Amino acid sequence: MEQSPKKLLEQVQDVIRLKHYSYQTEKTYINWIRRYIFFHDKHHPKDTGSTEIEVFLTHLVT
C-alpha cells in the first residue's frame, strides 16, 4: 500500500524535531509558514518566489 507524501508542515515539523529544536520554536516556525501561505491565498511556497517573500515582509512592516 502506497503512502501519500507528507504535507509541507508535517515535513517542516519532522526536520525541526530531527534538529532537536524546542517545541516553542517549532510552533513559531509552523505559525509563520502558515501565515505566509494564507497571505498568498493558500499557494504552496514552492510556487512562490522572491517577489512574494518581499511582498509578505513589506506587509508585516507596514
Side-chain angles (χ1 to χ4, degrees):
M1 195 160 111
E2 287 186 39
Q3 288 184 340
S4 59
K6 289 187 175 184
K7 294 184 178 185
L8 174 67
L9 295 179
E10 292 172 338
Q11 292 176 20
V12 170
Q13 189 177 43
D14 288 347
V15 171
I16 289 172
R17 289 180 180 179
L18 182 68
K19 293 184 177 208
H20 303 290
Y21 286 13
S22 73
Y23 178 67
Q24 188 60 43
T25 301
E26 176 184 325
K27 287 185 355 184
T28 302
Y29 282 20
I30 297 293
N31 181 48
W32 278 112
I33 294 168
R34 191 174 280 130
R35 286 179 68 178
Y36 177 80
I37 292 169
F38 278 99
F39 180 80
H40 289 293
D41 299 321
K42 298 184 180 179
H43 291 137
H44 196 283
K46 73 176 179 182
D47 299 330
T48 60
S50 59
T51 305
E52 287 83 2
I53 294 170
E54 187 175 335
V55 169
F56 179 66
L57 293 175
T58 301
H59 167 74
L60 293 176
V61 171
T62 56

Short mmCIF file of all heavy atoms in Angstrom, two decimals:
data_model
loop_
_atom_site.label_atom_id
_atom_site.label_comp_id
_atom_site.label_asym_id
_atom_site.label_seq_id
_atom_site.Cartn_x
_atom_site.Cartn_y
_atom_site.Cartn_z
N MET A 1 0.84 -1.17 0.00
CA MET A 1 0.00 0.00 0.00
C MET A 1 0.89 1.24 0.00
O MET A 1 1.79 1.37 0.82
CB MET A 1 -0.89 -0.02 1.25
CG MET A 1 -2.02 0.94 1.19
SD MET A 1 -3.28 0.47 2.36
CE MET A 1 -3.13 1.77 3.52
N GLU A 2 0.64 2.15 -0.93
CA GLU A 2 1.46 3.36 -1.04
C GLU A 2 1.03 4.41 -0.03
O GLU A 2 -0.16 4.60 0.21
CB GLU A 2 1.33 3.96 -2.44
CG GLU A 2 2.04 3.18 -3.50
CD GLU A 2 1.98 3.91 -4.82
OE1 GLU A 2 2.10 5.14 -4.85
OE2 GLU A 2 1.80 3.22 -5.84
N GLN A 3 2.02 5.07 0.54
CA GLN A 3 1.73 6.18 1.44
C GLN A 3 1.75 7.46 0.63
O GLN A 3 2.60 7.64 -0.25
CB GLN A 3 2.77 6.28 2.54
CG GLN A 3 2.68 5.20 3.58
CD GLN A 3 3.70 5.42 4.69
OE1 GLN A 3 4.66 6.13 4.50
NE2 GLN A 3 3.47 4.81 5.82
N SER A 4 0.82 8.35 0.93
CA SER A 4 0.84 9.63 0.24
C SER A 4 1.97 10.48 0.84
O SER A 4 2.33 10.32 2.01
CB SER A 4 -0.50 10.34 0.41
OG SER A 4 -0.77 10.56 1.77
N PRO A 5 2.57 11.35 0.05
CA PRO A 5 3.66 12.17 0.57
C PRO A 5 3.17 13.08 1.69
O PRO A 5 2.01 13.48 1.72
CB PRO A 5 4.11 13.00 -0.64
CG PRO A 5 3.08 12.81 -1.68
CD PRO A 5 2.26 11.62 -1.33
N LYS A 6 4.07 13.36 2.61
CA LYS A 6 3.71 14.21 3.74
C LYS A 6 3.48 15.63 3.27
O LYS A 6 4.10 16.11 2.34
CB LYS A 6 4.82 14.20 4.79
CG LYS A 6 4.93 12.91 5.54
CD LYS A 6 5.92 13.05 6.66
CE LYS A 6 5.93 11.79 7.49
NZ LYS A 6 6.83 11.93 8.65
N LYS A 7 2.58 16.30 3.97
CA LYS A 7 2.30 17.70 3.67
C LYS A 7 3.47 18.56 4.13
O LYS A 7 4.30 18.14 4.95
CB LYS A 7 1.01 18.14 4.36
CG LYS A 7 -0.21 17.42 3.81
CD LYS A 7 -1.47 17.93 4.43
CE LYS A 7 -2.67 17.22 3.81
NZ LYS A 7 -3.92 17.77 4.29
N LEU A 8 3.53 19.77 3.60
CA LEU A 8 4.64 20.68 3.87
C LEU A 8 4.87 20.89 5.37
O LEU A 8 5.99 20.74 5.86
CB LEU A 8 4.41 22.03 3.19
CG LEU A 8 5.44 23.10 3.53
CD1 LEU A 8 6.81 22.74 2.98
CD2 LEU A 8 4.99 24.44 3.03
N LEU A 9 3.83 21.21 6.10
CA LEU A 9 4.00 21.50 7.52
C LEU A 9 4.44 20.26 8.31
O LEU A 9 5.19 20.38 9.28
CB LEU A 9 2.73 22.11 8.10
CG LEU A 9 2.36 23.47 7.54
CD1 LEU A 9 1.07 23.99 8.15
CD2 LEU A 9 3.47 24.48 7.71
N GLU A 10 4.03 19.08 7.87
CA GLU A 10 4.50 17.85 8.50
C GLU A 10 5.98 17.64 8.23
O GLU A 10 6.73 17.20 9.10
CB GLU A 10 3.70 16.66 7.99
CG GLU A 10 2.25 16.65 8.44
CD GLU A 10 1.43 15.57 7.76
OE1 GLU A 10 1.84 15.09 6.67
OE2 GLU A 10 0.39 15.21 8.31
N GLN A 11 6.42 17.97 7.01
CA GLN A 11 7.84 17.85 6.67
C GLN A 11 8.67 18.82 7.50
O GLN A 11 9.74 18.46 8.01
CB GLN A 11 8.05 18.13 5.18
CG GLN A 11 7.46 17.09 4.27
CD GLN A 11 7.63 17.46 2.81
OE1 GLN A 11 8.46 18.27 2.44
NE2 GLN A 11 6.80 16.87 1.96
N VAL A 12 8.18 20.04 7.64
CA VAL A 12 8.89 21.04 8.45
C VAL A 12 8.98 20.57 9.89
O VAL A 12 10.04 20.64 10.52
CB VAL A 12 8.19 22.41 8.37
CG1 VAL A 12 8.76 23.39 9.37
CG2 VAL A 12 8.26 22.97 6.96
N GLN A 13 7.89 20.06 10.40
CA GLN A 13 7.85 19.55 11.77
C GLN A 13 8.87 18.42 11.97
O GLN A 13 9.58 18.39 12.97
CB GLN A 13 6.44 19.06 12.07
CG GLN A 13 6.20 18.71 13.51
CD GLN A 13 4.75 18.31 13.72
OE1 GLN A 13 4.18 17.57 12.92
NE2 GLN A 13 4.16 18.80 14.78
N ASP A 14 8.96 17.52 11.02
CA ASP A 14 9.92 16.42 11.11
C ASP A 14 11.36 16.93 11.17
O ASP A 14 12.16 16.46 11.98
CB ASP A 14 9.77 15.46 9.92
CG ASP A 14 8.52 14.62 9.99
OD1 ASP A 14 7.87 14.56 11.06
OD2 ASP A 14 8.17 14.00 8.96
N VAL A 15 11.68 17.90 10.31
CA VAL A 15 13.05 18.44 10.29
C VAL A 15 13.36 19.17 11.59
O VAL A 15 14.45 19.01 12.16
CB VAL A 15 13.24 19.39 9.07
CG1 VAL A 15 14.56 20.13 9.16
CG2 VAL A 15 13.16 18.60 7.78
N ILE A 16 12.41 19.94 12.09
CA ILE A 16 12.63 20.68 13.34
C ILE A 16 12.87 19.70 14.48
O ILE A 16 13.76 19.91 15.31
CB ILE A 16 11.42 21.60 13.63
CG1 ILE A 16 11.42 22.76 12.63
CG2 ILE A 16 11.46 22.13 15.06
CD1 ILE A 16 10.18 23.63 12.69
N ARG A 17 12.09 18.64 14.53
CA ARG A 17 12.26 17.65 15.60
C ARG A 17 13.58 16.88 15.45
O ARG A 17 14.22 16.55 16.44
CB ARG A 17 11.08 16.70 15.62
CG ARG A 17 9.84 17.40 16.12
CD ARG A 17 8.64 16.51 16.17
NE ARG A 17 7.50 17.27 16.67
CZ ARG A 17 6.30 16.77 16.81
NH1 ARG A 17 6.06 15.51 16.51
NH2 ARG A 17 5.31 17.52 17.26
N LEU A 18 13.98 16.63 14.21
CA LEU A 18 15.25 15.95 13.96
C LEU A 18 16.42 16.79 14.48
O LEU A 18 17.40 16.26 14.98
CB LEU A 18 15.41 15.68 12.46
CG LEU A 18 16.65 14.93 12.02
CD1 LEU A 18 16.59 13.49 12.52
CD2 LEU A 18 16.78 14.96 10.51
N LYS A 19 16.27 18.11 14.37
CA LYS A 19 17.33 19.02 14.82
C LYS A 19 17.21 19.36 16.30
O LYS A 19 17.98 20.16 16.82
CB LYS A 19 17.29 20.31 13.99
CG LYS A 19 17.67 20.07 12.54
CD LYS A 19 17.72 21.36 11.78
CE LYS A 19 18.18 21.08 10.36
NZ LYS A 19 18.85 22.20 9.76
N HIS A 20 16.21 18.77 16.98
CA HIS A 20 16.02 18.93 18.42
C HIS A 20 15.76 20.38 18.83
O HIS A 20 16.22 20.83 19.87
CB HIS A 20 17.21 18.37 19.21
CG HIS A 20 17.48 16.94 18.93
ND1 HIS A 20 16.66 15.92 19.34
CD2 HIS A 20 18.48 16.34 18.22
CE1 HIS A 20 17.14 14.76 18.93
NE2 HIS A 20 18.24 14.99 18.23
N TYR A 21 15.03 21.10 17.99
CA TYR A 21 14.62 22.46 18.36
C TYR A 21 13.55 22.36 19.43
O TYR A 21 12.87 21.34 19.56
CB TYR A 21 14.06 23.22 17.16
CG TYR A 21 15.09 23.66 16.14
CD1 TYR A 21 16.40 23.19 16.14
CD2 TYR A 21 14.75 24.56 15.15
CE1 TYR A 21 17.32 23.60 15.19
CE2 TYR A 21 15.66 24.98 14.19
CZ TYR A 21 16.94 24.49 14.23
OH TYR A 21 17.84 24.91 13.29
N SER A 22 13.34 23.43 20.16
CA SER A 22 12.33 23.42 21.21
C SER A 22 10.93 23.39 20.60
O SER A 22 10.72 23.77 19.45
CB SER A 22 12.47 24.65 22.10
OG SER A 22 12.02 25.81 21.43
N TYR A 23 10.00 22.95 21.42
CA TYR A 23 8.61 22.88 20.98
C TYR A 23 8.09 24.27 20.63
O TYR A 23 7.35 24.45 19.66
CB TYR A 23 7.75 22.23 22.06
CG TYR A 23 6.29 22.15 21.71
CD1 TYR A 23 5.86 21.34 20.67
CD2 TYR A 23 5.35 22.89 22.40
CE1 TYR A 23 4.52 21.27 20.32
CE2 TYR A 23 4.01 22.83 22.07
CZ TYR A 23 3.59 22.02 21.03
OH TYR A 23 2.27 21.96 20.69
N GLN A 24 8.47 25.27 21.41
CA GLN A 24 8.03 26.64 21.14
C GLN A 24 8.57 27.13 19.80
O GLN A 24 7.86 27.80 19.05
CB GLN A 24 8.48 27.58 22.27
CG GLN A 24 7.90 28.98 22.15
CD GLN A 24 6.38 28.99 22.19
OE1 GLN A 24 5.77 28.29 22.98
NE2 GLN A 24 5.77 29.75 21.30
N THR A 25 9.80 26.81 19.48
CA THR A 25 10.38 27.18 18.19
C THR A 25 9.60 26.50 17.06
O THR A 25 9.29 27.12 16.05
CB THR A 25 11.86 26.79 18.12
OG1 THR A 25 12.55 27.45 19.17
CG2 THR A 25 12.47 27.14 16.79
N GLU A 26 9.29 25.24 17.25
CA GLU A 26 8.51 24.50 16.24
C GLU A 26 7.16 25.19 16.00
O GLU A 26 6.78 25.43 14.86
CB GLU A 26 8.28 23.07 16.73
CG GLU A 26 7.40 22.25 15.83
CD GLU A 26 7.13 20.87 16.40
OE1 GLU A 26 8.02 20.28 17.04
OE2 GLU A 26 6.01 20.38 16.18
N LYS A 27 6.46 25.53 17.06
CA LYS A 27 5.17 26.20 16.93
C LYS A 27 5.31 27.54 16.21
O LYS A 27 4.49 27.88 15.36
CB LYS A 27 4.54 26.41 18.30
CG LYS A 27 4.00 25.16 18.92
CD LYS A 27 3.25 25.31 20.23
CE LYS A 27 3.20 26.65 20.86
NZ LYS A 27 2.55 26.70 22.16
N THR A 28 6.36 28.28 16.54
CA THR A 28 6.58 29.58 15.92
C THR A 28 6.85 29.45 14.43
O THR A 28 6.27 30.18 13.62
CB THR A 28 7.74 30.31 16.63
OG1 THR A 28 7.42 30.44 18.02
CG2 THR A 28 7.97 31.67 16.03
N TYR A 29 7.74 28.54 14.06
CA TYR A 29 8.06 28.34 12.64
C TYR A 29 6.81 27.92 11.85
O TYR A 29 6.54 28.45 10.77
CB TYR A 29 9.14 27.28 12.48
CG TYR A 29 10.55 27.73 12.76
CD1 TYR A 29 10.81 28.86 13.52
CD2 TYR A 29 11.63 27.01 12.29
CE1 TYR A 29 12.11 29.26 13.78
CE2 TYR A 29 12.93 27.41 12.54
CZ TYR A 29 13.16 28.53 13.29
OH TYR A 29 14.44 28.92 13.54
N ILE A 30 6.06 26.97 12.40
CA ILE A 30 4.85 26.50 11.74
C ILE A 30 3.86 27.65 11.58
O ILE A 30 3.23 27.80 10.53
CB ILE A 30 4.21 25.33 12.52
CG1 ILE A 30 5.16 24.12 12.58
CG2 ILE A 30 2.85 24.96 11.95
CD1 ILE A 30 5.43 23.44 11.27
N ASN A 31 3.73 28.47 12.61
CA ASN A 31 2.80 29.61 12.56
C ASN A 31 3.21 30.59 11.46
O ASN A 31 2.36 31.05 10.69
CB ASN A 31 2.75 30.31 13.91
CG ASN A 31 1.79 31.48 13.90
OD1 ASN A 31 0.66 31.36 13.45
ND2 ASN A 31 2.23 32.61 14.40
N TRP A 32 4.50 30.92 11.36
CA TRP A 32 4.95 31.86 10.32
C TRP A 32 4.74 31.30 8.92
O TRP A 32 4.33 32.02 8.01
CB TRP A 32 6.42 32.23 10.52
CG TRP A 32 6.59 33.29 11.55
CD1 TRP A 32 7.17 33.17 12.78
CD2 TRP A 32 6.16 34.66 11.47
NE1 TRP A 32 7.12 34.36 13.45
CE2 TRP A 32 6.51 35.29 12.67
CE3 TRP A 32 5.50 35.40 10.49
CZ2 TRP A 32 6.23 36.64 12.92
CZ3 TRP A 32 5.22 36.74 10.74
CH2 TRP A 32 5.59 37.33 11.94
N ILE A 33 5.00 30.03 8.75
CA ILE A 33 4.79 29.40 7.44
C ILE A 33 3.31 29.42 7.08
O ILE A 33 2.93 29.75 5.95
CB ILE A 33 5.35 27.97 7.42
CG1 ILE A 33 6.87 28.00 7.57
CG2 ILE A 33 4.94 27.23 6.14
CD1 ILE A 33 7.50 26.65 7.85
N ARG A 34 2.47 29.11 8.05
CA ARG A 34 1.02 29.12 7.83
C ARG A 34 0.54 30.53 7.47
O ARG A 34 -0.25 30.71 6.54
CB ARG A 34 0.32 28.62 9.09
CG ARG A 34 -1.15 28.34 8.90
CD ARG A 34 -1.77 27.71 10.13
NE ARG A 34 -1.45 26.28 10.15
CZ ARG A 34 -0.93 25.63 11.19
NH1 ARG A 34 -0.69 26.25 12.32
NH2 ARG A 34 -0.69 24.35 11.11
N ARG A 35 1.04 31.54 8.16
CA ARG A 35 0.66 32.93 7.86
C ARG A 35 1.08 33.31 6.44
O ARG A 35 0.34 33.98 5.74
CB ARG A 35 1.31 33.88 8.87
CG ARG A 35 0.67 33.83 10.23
CD ARG A 35 1.33 34.77 11.20
NE ARG A 35 1.08 36.15 10.81
CZ ARG A 35 1.50 37.20 11.49
NH1 ARG A 35 2.18 37.04 12.61
NH2 ARG A 35 1.24 38.42 11.07
N TYR A 36 2.28 32.88 6.06
CA TYR A 36 2.77 33.17 4.71
C TYR A 36 1.87 32.53 3.66
O TYR A 36 1.50 33.15 2.67
CB TYR A 36 4.21 32.67 4.57
CG TYR A 36 4.79 32.84 3.18
CD1 TYR A 36 5.27 34.07 2.77
CD2 TYR A 36 4.83 31.79 2.28
CE1 TYR A 36 5.80 34.25 1.50
CE2 TYR A 36 5.34 31.96 1.01
CZ TYR A 36 5.83 33.19 0.63
OH TYR A 36 6.33 33.36 -0.63
N ILE A 37 1.49 31.28 3.87
CA ILE A 37 0.65 30.56 2.92
C ILE A 37 -0.72 31.22 2.81
O ILE A 37 -1.23 31.44 1.71
CB ILE A 37 0.51 29.07 3.33
CG1 ILE A 37 1.86 28.36 3.16
CG2 ILE A 37 -0.58 28.37 2.52
CD1 ILE A 37 1.92 26.98 3.76
N PHE A 38 -1.34 31.57 3.93
CA PHE A 38 -2.66 32.20 3.90
C PHE A 38 -2.60 33.60 3.30
O PHE A 38 -3.53 34.03 2.63
CB PHE A 38 -3.29 32.23 5.28
CG PHE A 38 -3.95 30.93 5.65
CD1 PHE A 38 -3.29 30.02 6.46
CD2 PHE A 38 -5.21 30.62 5.18
CE1 PHE A 38 -3.89 28.82 6.79
CE2 PHE A 38 -5.82 29.43 5.50
CZ PHE A 38 -5.16 28.52 6.31
N PHE A 39 -1.51 34.30 3.52
CA PHE A 39 -1.35 35.63 2.94
C PHE A 39 -1.38 35.56 1.42
O PHE A 39 -1.90 36.45 0.75
CB PHE A 39 -0.04 36.28 3.41
CG PHE A 39 0.20 37.64 2.85
CD1 PHE A 39 -0.43 38.75 3.39
CD2 PHE A 39 1.05 37.83 1.77
CE1 PHE A 39 -0.21 40.02 2.87
CE2 PHE A 39 1.27 39.09 1.24
CZ PHE A 39 0.63 40.20 1.79
N HIS A 40 -0.83 34.51 0.87
CA HIS A 40 -0.78 34.33 -0.59
C HIS A 40 -1.88 33.40 -1.09
O HIS A 40 -1.68 32.61 -2.03
CB HIS A 40 0.60 33.83 -1.03
CG HIS A 40 1.66 34.88 -0.89
ND1 HIS A 40 1.69 36.01 -1.65
CD2 HIS A 40 2.70 34.97 -0.04
CE1 HIS A 40 2.71 36.76 -1.30
NE2 HIS A 40 3.35 36.15 -0.32
N ASP A 41 -3.04 33.49 -0.47
CA ASP A 41 -4.24 32.75 -0.90
C ASP A 41 -4.01 31.25 -1.03
O ASP A 41 -4.43 30.62 -2.00
CB ASP A 41 -4.79 33.32 -2.22
CG ASP A 41 -5.19 34.77 -2.09
OD1 ASP A 41 -5.74 35.14 -1.03
OD2 ASP A 41 -4.93 35.54 -3.03
N LYS A 42 -3.33 30.70 -0.05
CA LYS A 42 -3.09 29.26 0.07
C LYS A 42 -2.26 28.67 -1.06
O LYS A 42 -2.39 27.49 -1.39
CB LYS A 42 -4.41 28.50 0.23
CG LYS A 42 -5.18 28.88 1.48
CD LYS A 42 -6.41 28.03 1.64
CE LYS A 42 -7.17 28.43 2.89
NZ LYS A 42 -8.38 27.64 3.06
N HIS A 43 -1.41 29.48 -1.67
CA HIS A 43 -0.48 28.95 -2.67
C HIS A 43 0.69 28.29 -1.95
O HIS A 43 1.19 28.79 -0.95
CB HIS A 43 0.04 30.07 -3.59
CG HIS A 43 -1.01 30.60 -4.49
ND1 HIS A 43 -1.17 31.93 -4.74
CD2 HIS A 43 -1.97 29.97 -5.21
CE1 HIS A 43 -2.17 32.12 -5.57
NE2 HIS A 43 -2.68 30.93 -5.86
N HIS A 44 1.13 27.18 -2.48
CA HIS A 44 2.25 26.45 -1.88
C HIS A 44 3.52 27.29 -2.00
O HIS A 44 3.76 27.91 -3.05
CB HIS A 44 2.43 25.11 -2.60
CG HIS A 44 3.27 24.15 -1.84
ND1 HIS A 44 4.64 24.25 -1.79
CD2 HIS A 44 2.93 23.08 -1.10
CE1 HIS A 44 5.11 23.27 -1.05
NE2 HIS A 44 4.09 22.54 -0.62
N PRO A 45 4.34 27.36 -0.96
CA PRO A 45 5.57 28.15 -1.02
C PRO A 45 6.50 27.79 -2.17
O PRO A 45 7.23 28.64 -2.67
CB PRO A 45 6.23 27.88 0.33
CG PRO A 45 5.10 27.57 1.23
CD PRO A 45 4.11 26.82 0.38
N LYS A 46 6.47 26.54 -2.63
CA LYS A 46 7.34 26.17 -3.75
C LYS A 46 6.91 26.86 -5.04
O LYS A 46 7.68 26.96 -5.98
CB LYS A 46 7.39 24.66 -3.95
CG LYS A 46 6.14 24.06 -4.53
CD LYS A 46 6.29 22.58 -4.78
CE LYS A 46 4.98 22.05 -5.34
NZ LYS A 46 4.99 20.65 -5.57
N ASP A 47 5.66 27.34 -5.08
CA ASP A 47 5.14 28.03 -6.26
C ASP A 47 5.31 29.55 -6.16
O ASP A 47 4.84 30.27 -7.03
CB ASP A 47 3.65 27.71 -6.44
CG ASP A 47 3.41 26.23 -6.66
OD1 ASP A 47 4.31 25.56 -7.22
OD2 ASP A 47 2.34 25.74 -6.28
N THR A 48 5.94 30.02 -5.10
CA THR A 48 6.17 31.45 -4.93
C THR A 48 7.66 31.73 -5.04
O THR A 48 8.49 30.83 -4.94
CB THR A 48 5.64 31.95 -3.58
OG1 THR A 48 6.31 31.26 -2.53
CG2 THR A 48 4.15 31.72 -3.44
N GLY A 49 7.99 32.99 -5.23
CA GLY A 49 9.39 33.35 -5.39
C GLY A 49 9.77 34.52 -4.49
O GLY A 49 9.07 34.86 -3.54
N SER A 50 10.88 35.14 -4.83
CA SER A 50 11.41 36.21 -4.01
C SER A 50 10.48 37.42 -3.97
O SER A 50 10.40 38.12 -2.95
CB SER A 50 12.79 36.63 -4.50
OG SER A 50 12.73 37.05 -5.84
N THR A 51 9.74 37.65 -5.04
CA THR A 51 8.80 38.78 -5.06
C THR A 51 7.71 38.58 -4.01
O THR A 51 7.38 39.52 -3.27
CB THR A 51 8.15 38.92 -6.45
OG1 THR A 51 9.18 39.04 -7.42
CG2 THR A 51 7.22 40.11 -6.51
N GLU A 52 7.17 37.38 -3.91
CA GLU A 52 6.13 37.11 -2.92
C GLU A 52 6.67 37.22 -1.50
O GLU A 52 5.96 37.68 -0.60
CB GLU A 52 5.52 35.71 -3.14
CG GLU A 52 4.63 35.63 -4.36
CD GLU A 52 5.37 35.40 -5.66
OE1 GLU A 52 6.60 35.27 -5.64
OE2 GLU A 52 4.72 35.37 -6.71
N ILE A 53 7.90 36.80 -1.29
CA ILE A 53 8.51 36.93 0.03
C ILE A 53 8.64 38.41 0.39
O ILE A 53 8.31 38.83 1.51
CB ILE A 53 9.88 36.23 0.08
CG1 ILE A 53 9.69 34.72 -0.08
CG2 ILE A 53 10.61 36.55 1.38
CD1 ILE A 53 10.97 33.94 -0.29
N GLU A 54 9.10 39.19 -0.57
CA GLU A 54 9.26 40.64 -0.34
C GLU A 54 7.91 41.30 -0.04
O GLU A 54 7.81 42.13 0.87
CB GLU A 54 9.91 41.29 -1.55
CG GLU A 54 10.25 42.74 -1.34
CD GLU A 54 11.00 43.33 -2.52
OE1 GLU A 54 11.66 42.57 -3.26
OE2 GLU A 54 10.91 44.55 -2.67
N VAL A 55 6.86 40.92 -0.76
CA VAL A 55 5.53 41.48 -0.53
C VAL A 55 5.04 41.12 0.87
O VAL A 55 4.49 41.97 1.59
CB VAL A 55 4.53 40.97 -1.61
CG1 VAL A 55 3.10 41.30 -1.24
CG2 VAL A 55 4.89 41.54 -2.96
N PHE A 56 5.26 39.89 1.28
CA PHE A 56 4.84 39.44 2.62
C PHE A 56 5.59 40.21 3.70
O PHE A 56 4.98 40.70 4.66
CB PHE A 56 5.06 37.94 2.78
CG PHE A 56 4.69 37.40 4.13
CD1 PHE A 56 3.38 37.39 4.55
CD2 PHE A 56 5.67 36.89 4.97
CE1 PHE A 56 3.04 36.89 5.80
CE2 PHE A 56 5.34 36.38 6.21
CZ PHE A 56 4.01 36.37 6.64
N LEU A 57 6.88 40.33 3.56
CA LEU A 57 7.68 41.04 4.56
C LEU A 57 7.32 42.53 4.61
O LEU A 57 7.24 43.12 5.69
CB LEU A 57 9.17 40.86 4.29
CG LEU A 57 9.69 39.43 4.47
CD1 LEU A 57 11.16 39.37 4.06
CD2 LEU A 57 9.50 38.94 5.88
N THR A 58 7.05 43.12 3.45
CA THR A 58 6.62 44.51 3.41
C THR A 58 5.28 44.67 4.12
O THR A 58 5.06 45.63 4.87
CB THR A 58 6.52 45.00 1.96
OG1 THR A 58 7.81 44.85 1.34
CG2 THR A 58 6.09 46.46 1.89
N HIS A 59 4.39 43.72 3.92
CA HIS A 59 3.10 43.75 4.59
C HIS A 59 3.28 43.70 6.12
O HIS A 59 2.58 44.40 6.85
CB HIS A 59 2.25 42.55 4.13
CG HIS A 59 1.05 42.30 4.97
ND1 HIS A 59 -0.07 43.09 4.93
CD2 HIS A 59 0.80 41.34 5.90
CE1 HIS A 59 -0.97 42.63 5.79
NE2 HIS A 59 -0.46 41.57 6.39
N LEU A 60 4.20 42.90 6.58
CA LEU A 60 4.45 42.80 8.02
C LEU A 60 5.00 44.11 8.59
O LEU A 60 4.65 44.49 9.71
CB LEU A 60 5.43 41.67 8.32
CG LEU A 60 4.95 40.26 8.05
CD1 LEU A 60 6.08 39.26 8.30
CD2 LEU A 60 3.74 39.91 8.89
N VAL A 61 5.81 44.78 7.81
CA VAL A 61 6.45 46.01 8.29
C VAL A 61 5.46 47.18 8.33
O VAL A 61 5.52 48.00 9.23
CB VAL A 61 7.67 46.36 7.40
CG1 VAL A 61 8.21 47.72 7.72
CG2 VAL A 61 8.74 45.30 7.54
N THR A 62 4.56 47.21 7.34
CA THR A 62 3.66 48.37 7.25
C THR A 62 2.34 48.14 7.93
O THR A 62 1.98 47.14 8.38
CB THR A 62 3.37 48.75 5.78
OG1 THR A 62 2.86 47.62 5.10
CG2 THR A 62 4.63 49.24 5.13
#
